[in-house]
Amino acid sequence: MKYLLLCQIQPAAMADVPESAQQQMHQAMDAYHQQLIAAGVLAGAGQLAMPHEAILVSHAGGQASGTRGPALPGDTQIGGYYLLDVADEPAAVAWAGRCPLAQFGALEVRQVVYAPV
């Protein structure tokens, strides 16, 4: 079963983190990434561009239009994602719980219920 872990971060929570702690976080994230690979559960991953670079596309009056800026209200941002291929939801939740990024935000776990490719 495939699950998408959406890394929701709050930049304000990271604002006062010293550079040395940020470097430790990057090392911890690299180690987490390697654990996912070693376990054979990582199907894909990516870091996203900053929210102000996003384009929110919607339809109004039959016309598609785009607006630049974040799609989520407030201070929460989706900073990246992991696509896991695991046995079940508890396994996906367990992997999300091991992610060091959770201390600065949260990981939303969603099952991929349909994938045409």
Side-chain angles (χ1 to χ4, degrees):
M1 301 176 82
K2 289 192 171 62
Y3 287 85
L4 189 63
L5 309 184
L6 296 168
C7 303
Q8 298 179 354
I9 59 170
Q10 296 174 334
M14 298 181 72
D16 295 329
V17 177
E19 180 66 30
S20 60
Q22 289 183 30
Q23 289 176 355
Q24 288 176 337
M25 172 57 72
H26 288 294
Q27 291 170 348
M29 288 301 294
D30 287 343
Y32 176 71
H33 191 91
Q34 293 304 315
Q35 291 169 7
L36 292 169
I37 293 170
V41 300
L42 185 63
Q47 183 175 350
L48 302 177
M50 297 301 293
H52 68 273
E53 297 176 27
I55 299 174
L56 183 62
V57 177
S58 60
H59 280 262
Q63 295 283 351
S65 63
T67 305
R68 190 165 299 278
L72 292 176
D75 295 331
T76 301
Q77 301 174 358
I78 298 174
Y81 66 92
Y82 289 98
L83 179 61
L84 304 186
D85 192 351
V86 294
D88 52 27
E89 183 178 274
V93 171
W95 277 109
R98 295 168 75 180
C99 183
L101 190 62
Q103 65 185 306
F104 294 105
L107 276 85
E108 182 177 338
V109 179
R110 287 202 200 177
Q111 183 179 6
V112 178
V113 295
Y114 173 73
V117 291

